[in-house]
Amino acid sequence: MSSEVVYYKFLGMGGASTFARGFKWPRTGLWAPPVDGDLKMCNNGYHACTAEHIIDWLNEELYILEFRGEVLVGGDKVCGREARLVRRVKTWNASSARLFAADCAERVLPIYERNFPQDNRPRGAIKALSLIHI
């Protein structure tokens, strides 16, 4: 059994960087250019997360990411000097994201219905989301 840490990177549609506007990630498998200067969370470095914090960073596309060299760990993310996208996680897609959202909403639905027992719109919306096939 491997004890190697798996890192995840969420990107927008087409692999667009969510926070580093204008940054274009290299093709899957190619290393991004090394970051100059001191690594600093939220400021300087390539950022990713572990499975423990994956829910904090949801977006359209999910990748397995690999770091090379120094890696900082802090809070809900990690930061490294050199990184590459190893592969896209194909099971995270529009359909799985929609079903995940419906599941989250369904878990808090009793709270809403307790306060608004006559309003059946949220239950109907959750049901509709669960029935859509993309």
Side-chain angles (χ1 to χ4, degrees):
M1 175 154 212
S2 174
S3 62
E4 188 174 316
V5 177
V6 177
Y7 298 108
Y8 298 93
K9 179 71 177 175
F10 273 105
L11 296 172
M13 195 63 75
S17 181
T18 306
F19 297 100
R21 302 283 183 227
F23 177 74
K24 177 86 170 122
W25 276 90
R27 253 186 8 237
T28 301
L30 299 179
W31 290 95
V35 171
D36 291 329
D38 293 335
L39 291 179
K40 186 173 180 186
M41 288 293 180
C42 302
N43 195 328
N44 193 40
Y46 296 111
H47 293 78
C49 67
T50 59
E52 179 183 10
H53 295 287
I54 206 166
I55 197 168
D56 298 333
W57 300 102
L58 298 178
N59 208 327
E60 284 95 348
E61 297 179 3
L62 175 60
Y63 293 84
I64 303 295
L65 181 134
E66 180 180 16
F67 285 114
R68 180 165 61 186
E70 181 183 6
V71 176
L72 299 179
V73 177
D76 61 350
K77 62 186 140 300
V78 293
C79 174
R81 183 169 310 285
E82 294 183 74
R84 69 176 171 178
L85 303 175
V86 176
R87 73 178 183 284
R88 184 164 175 199
V89 178
K90 299 285 187 182
T91 53
W92 181 256
N93 53 45
S95 181
S96 58
R98 178 181 40 72
L99 291 172
F100 176 73
D103 186 58
C104 290
E106 189 172 39
R107 290 171 189 261
V108 298
L109 187 59
I111 298 168
Y112 183 86
E113 290 179 334
R114 190 169 39 250
N115 290 305
F116 304 96
Q118 303 304 316
D119 188 355
N120 61 1
R121 293 174 299 164
R123 182 171 292 280
I126 292 168
K127 184 176 180 181
L129 280 174
S130 300
L131 296 174
I132 296 172
H133 296 287
I134 296 177

